[in-house]
Amino acid sequence: MQIPIYQVDAFTNKVFTGNPAAICPLDKWLPDATMQAIAAENNLSETAFFVQKNDNFELRWFTPVAEIDLCGHATLASAFVIFNFIDPSSNDGLVKTSRGHFKV
């Protein structure tokens, strides 16, 4: 299995500073246990996974030990990946999460 991974430092424009998060774009959701194992392997405070659904993105976050309901810096890091690598022509995007919808 090959999954792209981006390590993004949120809240900064300098390398090795800010708040790091791993970001994994997916074509479809993987089993929860697989995403949890990937987050444990990344060993960052959060790993975010997202799946594009039409013009929106569904987003989930995992720490190395559990899925969590919300993570601000990993959401912003995911938006950075979406706007710079996945869909650069997009001006904004709607992110659907277990905690509601967020416009980024």
PDB file of all heavy atoms in Angstrom, residues 45-81:
ATOM      1  N   SER A  45       2.058  14.501  16.974  1.00  0.00           N
ATOM      2  CA  SER A  45       0.894  14.693  17.847  1.00  0.00           C
ATOM      3  C   SER A  45      -0.403  14.368  17.120  1.00  0.00           C
ATOM      4  O   SER A  45      -1.325  13.812  17.720  1.00  0.00           O
ATOM      5  CB  SER A  45       0.861  16.110  18.416  1.00  0.00           C
ATOM      6  OG  SER A  45       0.764  17.064  17.381  1.00  0.00           O
ATOM      7  N   GLU A  46      -0.492  14.690  15.815  1.00  0.00           N
ATOM      8  CA  GLU A  46      -1.663  14.329  15.020  1.00  0.00           C
ATOM      9  C   GLU A  46      -1.272  13.956  13.601  1.00  0.00           C
ATOM     10  O   GLU A  46      -0.343  14.523  13.035  1.00  0.00           O
ATOM     11  CB  GLU A  46      -2.688  15.474  14.941  1.00  0.00           C
ATOM     12  CG  GLU A  46      -3.573  15.605  16.154  1.00  0.00           C
ATOM     13  CD  GLU A  46      -2.881  16.346  17.273  1.00  0.00           C
ATOM     14  OE1 GLU A  46      -1.981  17.154  16.994  1.00  0.00           O
ATOM     15  OE2 GLU A  46      -3.233  16.104  18.431  1.00  0.00           O
ATOM     16  N   THR A  47      -2.033  13.011  13.077  1.00  0.00           N
ATOM     17  CA  THR A  47      -2.012  12.682  11.655  1.00  0.00           C
ATOM     18  C   THR A  47      -3.428  12.893  11.155  1.00  0.00           C
ATOM     19  O   THR A  47      -4.379  12.367  11.734  1.00  0.00           O
ATOM     20  CB  THR A  47      -1.571  11.232  11.408  1.00  0.00           C
ATOM     21  OG1 THR A  47      -0.224  11.062  11.862  1.00  0.00           O
ATOM     22  CG2 THR A  47      -1.643  10.869   9.937  1.00  0.00           C
ATOM     23  N   ALA A  48      -3.569  13.688  10.102  1.00  0.00           N
ATOM     24  CA  ALA A  48      -4.886  13.934   9.513  1.00  0.00           C
ATOM     25  C   ALA A  48      -5.005  13.145   8.214  1.00  0.00           C
ATOM     26  O   ALA A  48      -4.046  13.041   7.447  1.00  0.00           O
ATOM     27  CB  ALA A  48      -5.081  15.426   9.242  1.00  0.00           C
ATOM     28  N   PHE A  49      -6.176  12.602   7.990  1.00  0.00           N
ATOM     29  CA  PHE A  49      -6.508  11.898   6.749  1.00  0.00           C
ATOM     30  C   PHE A  49      -7.690  12.620   6.128  1.00  0.00           C
ATOM     31  O   PHE A  49      -8.614  13.026   6.841  1.00  0.00           O
ATOM     32  CB  PHE A  49      -6.916  10.452   7.041  1.00  0.00           C
ATOM     33  CG  PHE A  49      -5.835   9.631   7.680  1.00  0.00           C
ATOM     34  CD1 PHE A  49      -5.707   9.588   9.057  1.00  0.00           C
ATOM     35  CD2 PHE A  49      -4.950   8.894   6.911  1.00  0.00           C
ATOM     36  CE1 PHE A  49      -4.715   8.823   9.663  1.00  0.00           C
ATOM     37  CE2 PHE A  49      -3.958   8.136   7.496  1.00  0.00           C
ATOM     38  CZ  PHE A  49      -3.837   8.102   8.872  1.00  0.00           C
ATOM     39  N   PHE A  50      -7.663  12.789   4.806  1.00  0.00           N
ATOM     40  CA  PHE A  50      -8.843  13.368   4.172  1.00  0.00           C
ATOM     41  C   PHE A  50      -9.161  12.658   2.873  1.00  0.00           C
ATOM     42  O   PHE A  50      -8.293  12.069   2.223  1.00  0.00           O
ATOM     43  CB  PHE A  50      -8.713  14.889   3.968  1.00  0.00           C
ATOM     44  CG  PHE A  50      -7.655  15.338   3.001  1.00  0.00           C
ATOM     45  CD1 PHE A  50      -7.867  15.306   1.631  1.00  0.00           C
ATOM     46  CD2 PHE A  50      -6.445  15.835   3.469  1.00  0.00           C
ATOM     47  CE1 PHE A  50      -6.896  15.745   0.748  1.00  0.00           C
ATOM     48  CE2 PHE A  50      -5.470  16.291   2.596  1.00  0.00           C
ATOM     49  CZ  PHE A  50      -5.702  16.246   1.229  1.00  0.00           C
ATOM     50  N   VAL A  51     -10.464  12.702   2.534  1.00  0.00           N
ATOM     51  CA  VAL A  51     -11.005  12.131   1.307  1.00  0.00           C
ATOM     52  C   VAL A  51     -11.820  13.226   0.635  1.00  0.00           C
ATOM     53  O   VAL A  51     -12.640  13.887   1.289  1.00  0.00           O
ATOM     54  CB  VAL A  51     -11.901  10.907   1.612  1.00  0.00           C
ATOM     55  CG1 VAL A  51     -12.607  10.416   0.361  1.00  0.00           C
ATOM     56  CG2 VAL A  51     -11.096   9.792   2.250  1.00  0.00           C
ATOM     57  N   GLN A  52     -11.587  13.436  -0.647  1.00  0.00           N
ATOM     58  CA  GLN A  52     -12.368  14.429  -1.376  1.00  0.00           C
ATOM     59  C   GLN A  52     -13.706  13.844  -1.764  1.00  0.00           C
ATOM     60  O   GLN A  52     -13.789  12.729  -2.279  1.00  0.00           O
ATOM     61  CB  GLN A  52     -11.618  14.904  -2.617  1.00  0.00           C
ATOM     62  CG  GLN A  52     -12.320  16.051  -3.315  1.00  0.00           C
ATOM     63  CD  GLN A  52     -11.464  16.720  -4.362  1.00  0.00           C
ATOM     64  OE1 GLN A  52     -10.353  16.295  -4.656  1.00  0.00           O
ATOM     65  NE2 GLN A  52     -11.981  17.794  -4.930  1.00  0.00           N
ATOM     66  N   LYS A  53     -14.770  14.598  -1.481  1.00  0.00           N
ATOM     67  CA  LYS A  53     -16.135  14.245  -1.880  1.00  0.00           C
ATOM     68  C   LYS A  53     -16.700  15.429  -2.641  1.00  0.00           C
ATOM     69  O   LYS A  53     -17.011  16.464  -2.052  1.00  0.00           O
ATOM     70  CB  LYS A  53     -17.012  13.957  -0.656  1.00  0.00           C
ATOM     71  CG  LYS A  53     -16.546  12.808   0.199  1.00  0.00           C
ATOM     72  CD  LYS A  53     -16.835  11.480  -0.446  1.00  0.00           C
ATOM     73  CE  LYS A  53     -16.404  10.368   0.499  1.00  0.00           C
ATOM     74  NZ  LYS A  53     -16.905   9.092   0.159  1.00  0.00           N
ATOM     75  N   ASN A  54     -16.760  15.302  -3.966  1.00  0.00           N
ATOM     76  CA  ASN A  54     -17.165  16.401  -4.840  1.00  0.00           C
ATOM     77  C   ASN A  54     -16.244  17.589  -4.605  1.00  0.00           C
ATOM     78  O   ASN A  54     -15.052  17.465  -4.737  1.00  0.00           O
ATOM     79  CB  ASN A  54     -18.651  16.723  -4.644  1.00  0.00           C
ATOM     80  CG  ASN A  54     -19.533  15.520  -4.941  1.00  0.00           C
ATOM     81  OD1 ASN A  54     -19.340  14.832  -5.933  1.00  0.00           O
ATOM     82  ND2 ASN A  54     -20.488  15.250  -4.068  1.00  0.00           N
ATOM     83  N   ASP A  55     -16.799  18.738  -4.224  1.00  0.00           N
ATOM     84  CA  ASP A  55     -15.980  19.928  -3.999  1.00  0.00           C
ATOM     85  C   ASP A  55     -15.545  20.072  -2.548  1.00  0.00           C
ATOM     86  O   ASP A  55     -14.916  21.068  -2.189  1.00  0.00           O
ATOM     87  CB  ASP A  55     -16.748  21.195  -4.409  1.00  0.00           C
ATOM     88  CG  ASP A  55     -16.971  21.261  -5.914  1.00  0.00           C
ATOM     89  OD1 ASP A  55     -16.186  20.644  -6.655  1.00  0.00           O
ATOM     90  OD2 ASP A  55     -17.931  21.923  -6.337  1.00  0.00           O
ATOM     91  N   ASN A  56     -15.900  19.125  -1.714  1.00  0.00           N
ATOM     92  CA  ASN A  56     -15.602  19.202  -0.290  1.00  0.00           C
ATOM     93  C   ASN A  56     -14.616  18.115   0.113  1.00  0.00           C
ATOM     94  O   ASN A  56     -14.299  17.219  -0.671  1.00  0.00           O
ATOM     95  CB  ASN A  56     -16.882  19.069   0.539  1.00  0.00           C
ATOM     96  CG  ASN A  56     -17.893  20.140   0.195  1.00  0.00           C
ATOM     97  OD1 ASN A  56     -17.542  21.290  -0.010  1.00  0.00           O
ATOM     98  ND2 ASN A  56     -19.153  19.750   0.115  1.00  0.00           N
ATOM     99  N   PHE A  57     -14.161  18.184   1.348  1.00  0.00           N
ATOM    100  CA  PHE A  57     -13.216  17.212   1.876  1.00  0.00           C
ATOM    101  C   PHE A  57     -13.706  16.721   3.235  1.00  0.00           C
ATOM    102  O   PHE A  57     -14.128  17.526   4.064  1.00  0.00           O
ATOM    103  CB  PHE A  57     -11.820  17.843   2.036  1.00  0.00           C
ATOM    104  CG  PHE A  57     -11.213  18.235   0.729  1.00  0.00           C
ATOM    105  CD1 PHE A  57     -11.465  19.469   0.173  1.00  0.00           C
ATOM    106  CD2 PHE A  57     -10.405  17.341   0.036  1.00  0.00           C
ATOM    107  CE1 PHE A  57     -10.924  19.834  -1.048  1.00  0.00           C
ATOM    108  CE2 PHE A  57      -9.861  17.688  -1.189  1.00  0.00           C
ATOM    109  CZ  PHE A  57     -10.119  18.943  -1.733  1.00  0.00           C
ATOM    110  N   GLU A  58     -13.690  15.414   3.418  1.00  0.00           N
ATOM    111  CA  GLU A  58     -13.978  14.831   4.728  1.00  0.00           C
ATOM    112  C   GLU A  58     -12.646  14.623   5.426  1.00  0.00           C
ATOM    113  O   GLU A  58     -11.687  14.138   4.816  1.00  0.00           O
ATOM    114  CB  GLU A  58     -14.726  13.517   4.585  1.00  0.00           C
ATOM    115  CG  GLU A  58     -16.110  13.694   3.996  1.00  0.00           C
ATOM    116  CD  GLU A  58     -16.879  12.391   3.866  1.00  0.00           C
ATOM    117  OE1 GLU A  58     -16.332  11.317   4.214  1.00  0.00           O
ATOM    118  OE2 GLU A  58     -18.022  12.447   3.393  1.00  0.00           O
ATOM    119  N   LEU A  59     -12.578  14.978   6.693  1.00  0.00           N
ATOM    120  CA  LEU A  59     -11.320  15.009   7.422  1.00  0.00           C
ATOM    121  C   LEU A  59     -11.456  14.286   8.758  1.00  0.00           C
ATOM    122  O   LEU A  59     -12.447  14.451   9.459  1.00  0.00           O
ATOM    123  CB  LEU A  59     -10.942  16.481   7.656  1.00  0.00           C
ATOM    124  CG  LEU A  59      -9.665  16.818   8.386  1.00  0.00           C
ATOM    125  CD1 LEU A  59      -8.447  16.284   7.658  1.00  0.00           C
ATOM    126  CD2 LEU A  59      -9.561  18.337   8.540  1.00  0.00           C
ATOM    127  N   ARG A  60     -10.436  13.492   9.087  1.00  0.00           N
ATOM    128  CA  ARG A  60     -10.370  12.800  10.380  1.00  0.00           C
ATOM    129  C   ARG A  60      -8.959  12.937  10.929  1.00  0.00           C
ATOM    130  O   ARG A  60      -8.000  13.014  10.164  1.00  0.00           O
ATOM    131  CB  ARG A  60     -10.730  11.321  10.226  1.00  0.00           C
ATOM    132  CG  ARG A  60     -12.185  11.121   9.839  1.00  0.00           C
ATOM    133  CD  ARG A  60     -12.495   9.685   9.494  1.00  0.00           C
ATOM    134  NE  ARG A  60     -12.391   8.814  10.667  1.00  0.00           N
ATOM    135  CZ  ARG A  60     -12.521   7.480  10.606  1.00  0.00           C
ATOM    136  NH1 ARG A  60     -12.752   6.891   9.446  1.00  0.00           N
ATOM    137  NH2 ARG A  60     -12.407   6.757  11.694  1.00  0.00           N
ATOM    138  N   TRP A  61      -8.844  12.933  12.267  1.00  0.00           N
ATOM    139  CA  TRP A  61      -7.557  13.125  12.936  1.00  0.00           C
ATOM    140  C   TRP A  61      -7.274  11.985  13.890  1.00  0.00           C
ATOM    141  O   TRP A  61      -8.155  11.535  14.629  1.00  0.00           O
ATOM    142  CB  TRP A  61      -7.567  14.405  13.769  1.00  0.00           C
ATOM    143  CG  TRP A  61      -8.023  15.629  13.054  1.00  0.00           C
ATOM    144  CD1 TRP A  61      -7.261  16.500  12.347  1.00  0.00           C
ATOM    145  CD2 TRP A  61      -9.342  16.150  13.011  1.00  0.00           C
ATOM    146  NE1 TRP A  61      -8.022  17.529  11.868  1.00  0.00           N
ATOM    147  CE2 TRP A  61      -9.312  17.333  12.254  1.00  0.00           C
ATOM    148  CE3 TRP A  61     -10.574  15.723  13.524  1.00  0.00           C
ATOM    149  CZ2 TRP A  61     -10.439  18.102  12.016  1.00  0.00           C
ATOM    150  CZ3 TRP A  61     -11.693  16.478  13.285  1.00  0.00           C
ATOM    151  CH2 TRP A  61     -11.612  17.669  12.530  1.00  0.00           C
ATOM    152  N   PHE A  62      -6.014  11.572  13.922  1.00  0.00           N
ATOM    153  CA  PHE A  62      -5.567  10.509  14.833  1.00  0.00           C
ATOM    154  C   PHE A  62      -4.298  10.956  15.545  1.00  0.00           C
ATOM    155  O   PHE A  62      -3.391  11.509  14.926  1.00  0.00           O
ATOM    156  CB  PHE A  62      -5.259   9.226  14.048  1.00  0.00           C
ATOM    157  CG  PHE A  62      -6.476   8.518  13.524  1.00  0.00           C
ATOM    158  CD1 PHE A  62      -7.117   8.972  12.388  1.00  0.00           C
ATOM    159  CD2 PHE A  62      -6.978   7.395  14.163  1.00  0.00           C
ATOM    160  CE1 PHE A  62      -8.238   8.327  11.889  1.00  0.00           C
ATOM    161  CE2 PHE A  62      -8.093   6.735  13.676  1.00  0.00           C
ATOM    162  CZ  PHE A  62      -8.731   7.206  12.541  1.00  0.00           C
ATOM    163  N   THR A  63      -4.228  10.697  16.841  1.00  0.00           N
ATOM    164  CA  THR A  63      -2.976  10.809  17.581  1.00  0.00           C
ATOM    165  C   THR A  63      -2.295   9.445  17.448  1.00  0.00           C
ATOM    166  O   THR A  63      -2.878   8.512  16.883  1.00  0.00           O
ATOM    167  CB  THR A  63      -3.221  11.116  19.073  1.00  0.00           C
ATOM    168  OG1 THR A  63      -3.758   9.948  19.701  1.00  0.00           O
ATOM    169  CG2 THR A  63      -4.151  12.304  19.261  1.00  0.00           C
ATOM    170  N   PRO A  64      -1.111   9.278  17.994  1.00  0.00           N
ATOM    171  CA  PRO A  64      -0.502   7.944  17.935  1.00  0.00           C
ATOM    172  C   PRO A  64      -1.299   6.854  18.671  1.00  0.00           C
ATOM    173  O   PRO A  64      -1.080   5.673  18.428  1.00  0.00           O
ATOM    174  CB  PRO A  64       0.867   8.155  18.593  1.00  0.00           C
ATOM    175  CG  PRO A  64       1.191   9.574  18.269  1.00  0.00           C
ATOM    176  CD  PRO A  64      -0.137  10.294  18.405  1.00  0.00           C
ATOM    177  N   VAL A  65      -2.246   7.244  19.545  1.00  0.00           N
ATOM    178  CA  VAL A  65      -2.971   6.226  20.319  1.00  0.00           C
ATOM    179  C   VAL A  65      -4.479   6.217  20.121  1.00  0.00           C
ATOM    180  O   VAL A  65      -5.134   5.249  20.523  1.00  0.00           O
ATOM    181  CB  VAL A  65      -2.659   6.345  21.830  1.00  0.00           C
ATOM    182  CG1 VAL A  65      -1.185   6.090  22.090  1.00  0.00           C
ATOM    183  CG2 VAL A  65      -3.076   7.687  22.383  1.00  0.00           C
ATOM    184  N   ALA A  66      -5.077   7.259  19.503  1.00  0.00           N
ATOM    185  CA  ALA A  66      -6.537   7.286  19.384  1.00  0.00           C
ATOM    186  C   ALA A  66      -6.990   8.294  18.339  1.00  0.00           C
ATOM    187  O   ALA A  66      -6.291   9.273  18.050  1.00  0.00           O
ATOM    188  CB  ALA A  66      -7.160   7.647  20.729  1.00  0.00           C
ATOM    189  N   GLU A  67      -8.196   8.061  17.802  1.00  0.00           N
ATOM    190  CA  GLU A  67      -8.819   9.075  16.955  1.00  0.00           C
ATOM    191  C   GLU A  67      -9.350  10.178  17.868  1.00  0.00           C
ATOM    192  O   GLU A  67      -9.826   9.902  18.974  1.00  0.00           O
ATOM    193  CB  GLU A  67      -9.968   8.476  16.133  1.00  0.00           C
ATOM    194  CG  GLU A  67     -10.589   9.479  15.181  1.00  0.00           C
ATOM    195  CD  GLU A  67     -11.600   8.882  14.217  1.00  0.00           C
ATOM    196  OE1 GLU A  67     -11.970   7.699  14.375  1.00  0.00           O
ATOM    197  OE2 GLU A  67     -12.015   9.614  13.309  1.00  0.00           O
ATOM    198  N   ILE A  68      -9.261  11.429  17.398  1.00  0.00           N
ATOM    199  CA  ILE A  68      -9.760  12.552  18.177  1.00  0.00           C
ATOM    200  C   ILE A  68     -10.832  13.294  17.387  1.00  0.00           C
ATOM    201  O   ILE A  68     -10.952  13.139  16.168  1.00  0.00           O
ATOM    202  CB  ILE A  68      -8.625  13.502  18.611  1.00  0.00           C
ATOM    203  CG1 ILE A  68      -7.871  14.061  17.403  1.00  0.00           C
ATOM    204  CG2 ILE A  68      -7.675  12.789  19.568  1.00  0.00           C
ATOM    205  CD1 ILE A  68      -6.838  15.122  17.755  1.00  0.00           C
ATOM    206  N   ASP A  69     -11.625  14.121  18.097  1.00  0.00           N
ATOM    207  CA  ASP A  69     -12.765  14.804  17.493  1.00  0.00           C
ATOM    208  C   ASP A  69     -12.396  16.040  16.681  1.00  0.00           C
ATOM    209  O   ASP A  69     -13.121  16.414  15.768  1.00  0.00           O
ATOM    210  CB  ASP A  69     -13.763  15.226  18.574  1.00  0.00           C
ATOM    211  CG  ASP A  69     -14.477  14.038  19.186  1.00  0.00           C
ATOM    212  OD1 ASP A  69     -14.606  13.004  18.510  1.00  0.00           O
ATOM    213  OD2 ASP A  69     -14.894  14.148  20.349  1.00  0.00           O
ATOM    214  N   LEU A  70     -11.301  16.703  17.038  1.00  0.00           N
ATOM    215  CA  LEU A  70     -10.969  17.958  16.382  1.00  0.00           C
ATOM    216  C   LEU A  70      -9.505  18.292  16.626  1.00  0.00           C
ATOM    217  O   LEU A  70      -8.990  18.057  17.717  1.00  0.00           O
ATOM    218  CB  LEU A  70     -11.839  19.090  16.945  1.00  0.00           C
ATOM    219  CG  LEU A  70     -11.652  20.481  16.362  1.00  0.00           C
ATOM    220  CD1 LEU A  70     -12.017  20.521  14.885  1.00  0.00           C
ATOM    221  CD2 LEU A  70     -12.487  21.490  17.140  1.00  0.00           C
ATOM    222  N   CYS A  71      -8.845  18.846  15.603  1.00  0.00           N
ATOM    223  CA  CYS A  71      -7.470  19.316  15.760  1.00  0.00           C
ATOM    224  C   CYS A  71      -7.273  20.514  14.841  1.00  0.00           C
ATOM    225  O   CYS A  71      -7.275  20.366  13.612  1.00  0.00           O
ATOM    226  CB  CYS A  71      -6.469  18.220  15.427  1.00  0.00           C
ATOM    227  SG  CYS A  71      -4.764  18.806  15.580  1.00  0.00           S
ATOM    228  N   GLY A  72      -7.093  21.682  15.438  1.00  0.00           N
ATOM    229  CA  GLY A  72      -6.970  22.911  14.662  1.00  0.00           C
ATOM    230  C   GLY A  72      -5.756  22.954  13.762  1.00  0.00           C
ATOM    231  O   GLY A  72      -5.858  23.245  12.569  1.00  0.00           O
ATOM    232  N   HIS A  73      -4.575  22.651  14.308  1.00  0.00           N
ATOM    233  CA  HIS A  73      -3.368  22.799  13.482  1.00  0.00           C
ATOM    234  C   HIS A  73      -3.325  21.763  12.371  1.00  0.00           C
ATOM    235  O   HIS A  73      -2.845  22.047  11.266  1.00  0.00           O
ATOM    236  CB  HIS A  73      -2.092  22.785  14.335  1.00  0.00           C
ATOM    237  CG  HIS A  73      -1.605  21.458  14.768  1.00  0.00           C
ATOM    238  ND1 HIS A  73      -2.139  20.777  15.839  1.00  0.00           N
ATOM    239  CD2 HIS A  73      -0.624  20.678  14.272  1.00  0.00           C
ATOM    240  CE1 HIS A  73      -1.491  19.639  15.979  1.00  0.00           C
ATOM    241  NE2 HIS A  73      -0.576  19.544  15.043  1.00  0.00           N
ATOM    242  N   ALA A  74      -3.842  20.561  12.597  1.00  0.00           N
ATOM    243  CA  ALA A  74      -3.869  19.558  11.527  1.00  0.00           C
ATOM    244  C   ALA A  74      -4.921  19.901  10.474  1.00  0.00           C
ATOM    245  O   ALA A  74      -4.769  19.549   9.306  1.00  0.00           O
ATOM    246  CB  ALA A  74      -4.114  18.173  12.108  1.00  0.00           C
ATOM    247  N   THR A  75      -5.978  20.622  10.866  1.00  0.00           N
ATOM    248  CA  THR A  75      -6.954  21.108   9.890  1.00  0.00           C
ATOM    249  C   THR A  75      -6.309  22.153   8.986  1.00  0.00           C
ATOM    250  O   THR A  75      -6.447  22.106   7.763  1.00  0.00           O
ATOM    251  CB  THR A  75      -8.181  21.703  10.602  1.00  0.00           C
ATOM    252  OG1 THR A  75      -8.776  20.679  11.405  1.00  0.00           O
ATOM    253  CG2 THR A  75      -9.204  22.218   9.601  1.00  0.00           C
ATOM    254  N   LEU A  76      -5.597  23.100   9.582  1.00  0.00           N
ATOM    255  CA  LEU A  76      -4.905  24.124   8.781  1.00  0.00           C
ATOM    256  C   LEU A  76      -3.821  23.501   7.909  1.00  0.00           C
ATOM    257  O   LEU A  76      -3.642  23.890   6.743  1.00  0.00           O
ATOM    258  CB  LEU A  76      -4.300  25.181   9.695  1.00  0.00           C
ATOM    259  CG  LEU A  76      -5.309  26.048  10.448  1.00  0.00           C
ATOM    260  CD1 LEU A  76      -4.591  26.978  11.406  1.00  0.00           C
ATOM    261  CD2 LEU A  76      -6.184  26.823   9.482  1.00  0.00           C
ATOM    262  N   ALA A  77      -3.101  22.521   8.435  1.00  0.00           N
ATOM    263  CA  ALA A  77      -2.082  21.828   7.647  1.00  0.00           C
ATOM    264  C   ALA A  77      -2.725  21.080   6.476  1.00  0.00           C
ATOM    265  O   ALA A  77      -2.178  21.051   5.371  1.00  0.00           O
ATOM    266  CB  ALA A  77      -1.279  20.879   8.534  1.00  0.00           C
ATOM    267  N   SER A  78      -3.890  20.482   6.699  1.00  0.00           N
ATOM    268  CA  SER A  78      -4.610  19.800   5.618  1.00  0.00           C
ATOM    269  C   SER A  78      -5.018  20.787   4.536  1.00  0.00           C
ATOM    270  O   SER A  78      -4.891  20.500   3.339  1.00  0.00           O
ATOM    271  CB  SER A  78      -5.853  19.090   6.169  1.00  0.00           C
ATOM    272  OG  SER A  78      -5.494  18.073   7.065  1.00  0.00           O
ATOM    273  N   ALA A  79      -5.496  21.964   4.940  1.00  0.00           N
ATOM    274  CA  ALA A  79      -5.865  22.997   3.966  1.00  0.00           C
ATOM    275  C   ALA A  79      -4.653  23.414   3.149  1.00  0.00           C
ATOM    276  O   ALA A  79      -4.745  23.606   1.932  1.00  0.00           O
ATOM    277  CB  ALA A  79      -6.472  24.200   4.686  1.00  0.00           C
ATOM    278  N   PHE A  80      -3.502  23.527   3.788  1.00  0.00           N
ATOM    279  CA  PHE A  80      -2.268  23.860   3.067  1.00  0.00           C
ATOM    280  C   PHE A  80      -1.978  22.818   1.990  1.00  0.00           C
ATOM    281  O   PHE A  80      -1.659  23.159   0.842  1.00  0.00           O
ATOM    282  CB  PHE A  80      -1.096  23.960   4.049  1.00  0.00           C
ATOM    283  CG  PHE A  80       0.217  24.214   3.380  1.00  0.00           C
ATOM    284  CD1 PHE A  80       0.599  25.509   3.054  1.00  0.00           C
ATOM    285  CD2 PHE A  80       1.067  23.169   3.053  1.00  0.00           C
ATOM    286  CE1 PHE A  80       1.812  25.744   2.414  1.00  0.00           C
ATOM    287  CE2 PHE A  80       2.279  23.399   2.427  1.00  0.00           C
ATOM    288  CZ  PHE A  80       2.647  24.694   2.099  1.00  0.00           C
ATOM    289  N   VAL A  81      -2.101  21.546   2.327  1.00  0.00           N
ATOM    290  CA  VAL A  81      -1.858  20.473   1.356  1.00  0.00           C
ATOM    291  C   VAL A  81      -2.887  20.528   0.232  1.00  0.00           C
ATOM    292  O   VAL A  81      -2.546  20.432  -0.954  1.00  0.00           O
ATOM    293  CB  VAL A  81      -1.852  19.096   2.052  1.00  0.00           C
ATOM    294  CG1 VAL A  81      -1.828  17.960   1.031  1.00  0.00           C
ATOM    295  CG2 VAL A  81      -0.662  18.988   3.003  1.00  0.00           C
TER     296      VAL A  81
END
